Amino acid sequence: MTIKVLIIDDDKSLCARLEAYFAQHDLQLIIANSATEGLSELTLAQPDVLLLDVMMPQTDGFTLCKQIRLTNSIPIIMLTARGELSDKVLGLELGADDYLAKPFEPRELVARVQVLVRRQTLVGKVSPSLSFGELQISTSNHQATLKGEDIGLTGMEFKLLHLLASHPGEVFSRDQLLNELKGIDAEIYSRSIDILMSRLRQKLGDDPKHVKFIKTLRNVGYTFIGKSA
Amino acid sequence: MKIPHLGLFSRLLILFAVTTIIISICIALGSFAITEQRAKIFISERQTQLYEMLQQIAENPLDKEKLKADARNNRVSIMVKRGTQLYSTADNFPEFSALTAAAQPIGNLFFSKVGSKYFLYASFDDTSVVVTSKIANLIVYPEWLILWPWIVAILVLMASYYVLKRLLNPIGQAIESAKRISEGDLAYRITVHPKTELARLTTSLNKMAADLQKLFQSKNEMLMAISHELRTPLGRMKVSLALLQQNEITADLTSDINYMNDLIGQLLEGERLQQGSRVLNIATYYLPTLVDDVLSETRLSERVEITSALPEVALRVDVGRIKFVLRNLIQNAIDHATSEEKVKLSVTITEPSLLISVTDHGPGIPTDMLEKVFTPFFHAEDINHRSTDGVGLALFLCKRIAEAHDGQLTVNNTAPHGCQFSFSLPISCIAAFE
Ligand SMILES: Nc1ncnc2c1ncn2[C@@H]1O[C@H](COP(=O)(O)OP(=O)(O)O)[C@@H](O)[C@H]1O
Ligand SMILES: [Mg+2]
């Protein structure tokens, strides 16, 4: 069965050439040159992977990505126009699975598509998990395992760990964490972050003298220092 | 106080004149003011002389001209009552009965206060002589009023302070606005405008900020558009090239396309960085992770040695751009290496800065070219002997990035060979550094 890839991009010439290239790699490319066209193709053609251009005249790719994610779990690769030497990957926050800066190597794009499709067929309709050596964080069943064993996180603890671990190195102040967690529990208050954090650390087996996962920066906040593997 | 159509100069002049006059009057009054008590003591000490003076007037026949002259010379008003006959040098005397009703004896004299005025009188046979002094009336007060000149002086000072502050407030606002604009806060606007010519200053500052904001915005949009338009055909070319049979020619073309893409990106980045710190996307990031992120990129990690433990601090910097600097310094060091010896990376906090240095063991840079490596498109090597295929903008951008963070990037040769790039950031880049 050939893999069906839908591209939403206003550059017709690029799309046509990509179609030819994809065909060489047993991929079928369905082309949509506008957001509306793309949305209808998405339901009509039932593609396996979606390629989404960020810079489009009417609706930009980020907005479209957010909109599609509300109802659809199809793997999305954002094609960004890298404007700045910025690390911000807005697309991933909005639910995209991967991104590639334009101009990209077509070989690279095909490889990424194949990775996403393989992952999809392996784990079913499941979003990928984060992996840091001994620590595995599975987004789908809200579970974290340490050396293969479930460490039994509560919903709050999981949310906290997931938030930190999906932004390694980024420092979150207590207020920022509070804001993020308010969505789940409006009752949460400043002190309870500390309590939550110490319980989470205990479950992660983090020794204050030799921190492996969550580092406290006094008067600044918390950051995740686990190395992804 | 609303004074329409008066310039700032006139307003200040009026303010200063009025304040000065009132304050000097108050000081004069304040320093001469005495209480009724003190006035009575003063009189009783001189009562015999005063009594004699009044007696003289009473005993002599009434000479109106002489009386007037006396009154004028002594700066007093005099009233003489002889039987039913009444003569006074001024018309501000009360009824004589009112005077006697309030009279308090001081020796042979009588001291009397009617209204807020003070009178002194003595009676002889059929004649009574009353004197009062304008000056005395000005400086004699009941006990509880004695401090009023000082209180008024303080009130006037406070009032003029307030008025002055209001008059000069726009200047303060203008300074604040200029400061905020220069710090990159182009959305800052002055909200209150004065009614003096300073309004021109505040409104022009606002207009300037708005214009600058528009200018930078349109410049950024322009740069984004150029970048997008130039890269679109490059993207298409890459796909077309990929469709061809891969050989040396397609490899060369791909490398050229990549070169052009880098050139576009770095040229535009250079343009953007001309705007200084306002283009930075500041975030808080853990320093060891930042270094780790750069080193874990392909090819870099196994050729770099970290010489001292990384400070476990969080930085408030433009993470993407700081990574760019690190990546390029390390990449350059590796590219220019002549042996297998590892590139040395050290990060230390030496107040007042955070110092990141990258040391290599390559050929170094000719001394006369040390500063030139930071100029755009500079290559120390002859074009045919390049060890890298870089654009020649990386170090230029690194320096700009360092400067946008209020930091520095310098280079010097190390003995016996190789060179060291020192990238310093102000200590204030460290979040919550004590
Ligand atoms: N570590 C180094 N050792 C010797 N020369 C260097 C080193 N780093 C940079 N240079 C010189 O500075 C020039 C400019 O460097 P750079 O701005 O990175 O541009 P590029 O690497 O694209 O040529 C290089 O061409 C090289 O001549
Ligand atoms: Mg270079």
Side-chain angles (χ1 to χ4, degrees), chain B residues 315-335:
Chain B
L315 298 184
R316 291 199 38 78
V317 292
D318 186 322
V319 181
R321 289 190 165 98
I322 295 296
K323 281 185 183 173
F324 176 87
V325 175
L326 269 182
R327 186 184 305 127
N328 276 284
L329 293 183
I330 294 171
Q331 190 69 59
N332 277 346
I334 292 174
D335 288 346

Side-chain angles (χ1 to χ4, degrees), chain B residues 144-216:
Chain B
W144 60 273
L145 258 181
I146 190 72
L147 285 175
W148 80 261
W150 302 115
I151 293 169
V152 170
I154 290 169
L155 288 179
V156 167
L157 272 181
M158 273 159 51
S160 63
Y161 169 80
Y162 173 74
V163 174
L164 190 64
K165 220 176 125 163
R166 271 201 36 184
L167 281 177
L168 296 185
N169 185 31
I171 296 182
Q173 288 239 2
I175 293 172
E176 172 68 13
S177 147
K179 188 171 139 256
R180 296 280 287 266
I181 291 169
S182 73
E183 283 169 357
D185 182 6
L186 293 180
Y188 183 78
R189 296 285 181 276
I190 301 170
T191 44
V192 262
H193 301 285
K195 291 192 176 56
T196 60
E197 64 264 47
L198 282 181
R200 287 223 301 277
L201 175 68
T202 51
T203 46
S204 354
L205 271 171
N206 274 0
K207 188 172 173 308
M208 189 181 83
D211 288 351
L212 274 177
Q213 199 177 19
K214 238 185 281 168
L215 190 72
F216 282 128

Side-chain angles (χ1 to χ4, degrees), chain A residues 9-22 24-25 53 55-56 81-88 101-107 167-172 176 215-221 223-227, chain B residues 224-225 227-228 231-240 242-244 254 257-258 261 265 268-269 272-273 279 281 283-287 289-290 292-293 312-315 318-321 323-324 327 397 401 431-432 434:
Chain A
D9 189 325
D10 59 318
D11 185 348
K12 289 189 181 127
S13 169
L14 178 78
C15 291
R17 293 182 208 191
L18 262 186
E19 190 181 10
Y21 184 78
F22 271 35
Q24 288 186 352
H25 293 80
D53 182 29
M55 288 265 267
M56 280 192 296
R82 191 175 17 214
E84 292 195 28
L85 301 173
S86 166
D87 247 19
K88 269 232 172 74
K102 276 184 167 182
F104 48 81
E105 295 296 341
R107 200 162 12 93
H167 303 87
E170 237 172 85
V171 180
F172 290 83
Q176 273 171 302
K215 171 97 187 158
T216 310
L217 293 153
R218 210 151 54 82
N219 297 335
V220 185
T223 188
F224 189 83
I225 59 169
K227 299 211 164 61
Chain B
M224 285 297 268
S227 154
H228 183 236
R231 279 171 163 158
T232 301
L234 293 184
R236 293 181 196 150
M237 282 190 225
K238 279 196 162 191
V239 183
S240 294
L243 284 167
L244 296 178
T254 304
I257 291 173
N258 286 340
N261 184 41
L268 295 184
E269 173 66 4
R272 233 176 259 121
L273 280 170
V279 293
N281 303 312
T284 313
Y285 210 84
Y286 189 53
L287 173 67
T289 311
L290 193 152
D292 227 61
D293 288 350
E312 299 192 338
V313 294
L315 298 184
D318 186 322
V319 181
R321 289 190 165 98
K323 281 185 183 173
F324 176 87
R327 186 184 305 127
L397 292 180
I401 291 171
E434 289 122 284

